[in-house]
């Protein structure tokens, strides 16, 4: 069964303290892994798509990497404005519907 | 472009009442989705549509109905609201088959008392 697991559930960092979020997945035939950011009271906002092991994408203080079993979202020198819930997702097997399977997210709090 | 919009933003219903949530997108996307998001359970797919005039059940469809009469609109209906349907509802869309990036609306917070 296709599955996405994120860890930790919550992470509290001091401003400037780098860390990583994990997204592990089990899926038949990966057709991409997606990272989203969700601010309180808002809808998820698309960040990155990764398609193959070894691929990396960067945006400001965020860098996403992908292996055959998991993805990491590295946050370098985070600022309070990086505080949000970060979600990852993979397409469900049988891609005609474009359905995504989402993890439950990591709630990141960056304190000044 | 407004992207994906949802109305209303907030709603309070009494048990047994009905309502319709409206989702609109101006990106010419073929696929549209309705999710609910509950604490600790993540995003769960209610119904989806792969094109105008088509709808299909997702993971948690019971108690909901949908319609896609126009390509840009996707409606979610609750015929007889129950407290278990208290949640935040998100609409999303994606361009076409094989392009999996989904773009989300701002959400509707529904409380059923």
């Amino acid at each position: 069964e296709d599955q996405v697991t994120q860890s930790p559930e919550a992470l509290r960092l001091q401003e400037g303290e780098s860390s990583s979020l994990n997204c592990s997945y089990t899926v038949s035939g990966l057709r991409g892994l997606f990272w989203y950011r969700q601010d309180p009271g808002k809808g998820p906002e698309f960040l990155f798509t990764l398609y193959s092991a070894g691929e990396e994408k960067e945006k400001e203080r965020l860098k996403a990497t992908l292996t055959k079993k998991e993805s990491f979202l590295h946050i370098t020198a985070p600022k309070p404005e990086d505080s949000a819930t970060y979600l990852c997702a993979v397409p469900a097997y049988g891609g005609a519907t474009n359905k995504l399977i989402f993890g439950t997210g990591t709630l990141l709090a960056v304190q000044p | 472009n407004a992207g994906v919009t949802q109305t209303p933003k907030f709603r309070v219903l009494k048990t047994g009442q009905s309502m319709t949530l409206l989702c609109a997108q101006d990106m010419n996307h073929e696929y549209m989705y309705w999710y609910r998001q509950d604490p600790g359970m993540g995003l769960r797919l209610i119904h989806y549509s792969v094109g105008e005039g088509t709808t299909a059940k997702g993971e948690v469809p019971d108690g909901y109905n949908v319609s896609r009469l126009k390509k840009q609109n996707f409606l979610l209906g609750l015929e007889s609201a129950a407290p278990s349907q208290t949640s935040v509802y998100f609409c999303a869309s994606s361009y076409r088959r094989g392009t999996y990036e989904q773009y989300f609306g701002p959400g509707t917070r529904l409380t059923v008392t």
Side-chain angles (χ1 to χ4, degrees):
Chain A
E1 181 181 350
D2 298 341
Q3 195 168 1
V4 176
T5 303
Q6 291 187 247
S7 62
E9 290 186 9
L11 180 63
R12 181 170 294 184
L13 299 174
Q14 292 295 317
E15 184 172 1
E17 180 187 1
S18 301
S19 188
S20 297
L21 313 182
N22 178 265
C23 171
S24 62
Y25 61 89
T26 305
V27 64
S28 303
L30 183 68
R31 287 179 300 280
L33 185 138
F34 304 87
W35 281 100
Y36 287 82
R37 170 189 170 127
Q38 185 174 20
D39 292 303
K42 297 189 176 181
E45 176 186 353
F46 174 72
L47 288 174
F48 303 112
T49 306
L50 302 166
Y51 287 106
S52 57
E55 187 175 359
E56 298 182 353
K57 293 272 181 76
E58 288 189 63
K59 180 179 181 179
E60 296 181 354
R61 294 173 293 282
L62 301 177
K63 183 169 78 172
T65 62
L66 182 65
T67 72
K68 288 187 178 180
K69 293 185 178 181
E70 57 192 348
S71 177
F72 292 93
L73 186 64
H74 306 278
I75 305 175
T76 302
K79 297 182 177 181
E81 52 262 43
D82 295 320
S83 298
T85 296
Y86 291 87
L87 303 170
C88 70
V90 297
Y93 181 72
T97 62
N98 281 13
K99 286 194 287 185
L100 292 177
I101 301 169
F102 283 87
T104 53
T106 294
L107 175 61
L108 174 65
V110 181
Q111 296 184 318
Chain B
N1 286 352
V4 180
T5 57
Q6 293 181 233
T7 53
K9 287 186 168 55
F10 303 94
R11 187 71 187 267
V12 178
L13 289 179
K14 294 184 178 178
T15 298
Q17 288 185 321
S18 63
M19 77 163 293
T20 300
L21 306 183
L22 171 63
C23 175
Q25 53 93 6
D26 62 0
M27 298 177 284
N28 199 34
H29 285 180
E30 291 291 335
Y31 289 47
M32 297 186 75
Y33 313 82
W34 276 108
Y35 293 89
R36 60 178 291 173
Q37 187 175 43
D38 303 288
M41 302 195 72
L43 286 161
R44 292 184 291 169
L45 184 65
I46 304 171
H47 286 282
Y48 63 97
S49 168
V50 300
E52 181 178 319
T54 72
T55 64
K57 294 180 180 180
E59 184 185 356
V60 289
D62 293 343
Y64 305 95
N65 57 76
V66 288
S67 64
R68 182 116 181 256
L69 300 179
K70 294 183 179 181
K71 184 177 182 178
Q72 63 268 33
N73 295 336
F74 196 27
L75 278 62
L76 178 71
L78 286 72
E79 291 186 345
S80 179
S84 60
Q85 293 177 304
T86 294
S87 187
V88 181
Y89 292 85
F90 289 102
C91 176
S93 67
S94 62
Y95 181 42
R96 61 183 180 187
R97 178 176 176 169
T99 56
Y100 300 100
E101 293 91 343
Q102 293 185 14
Y103 296 86
F104 285 79
T108 295
R109 182 172 295 274
L110 174 66
T111 301
V112 183
T113 61

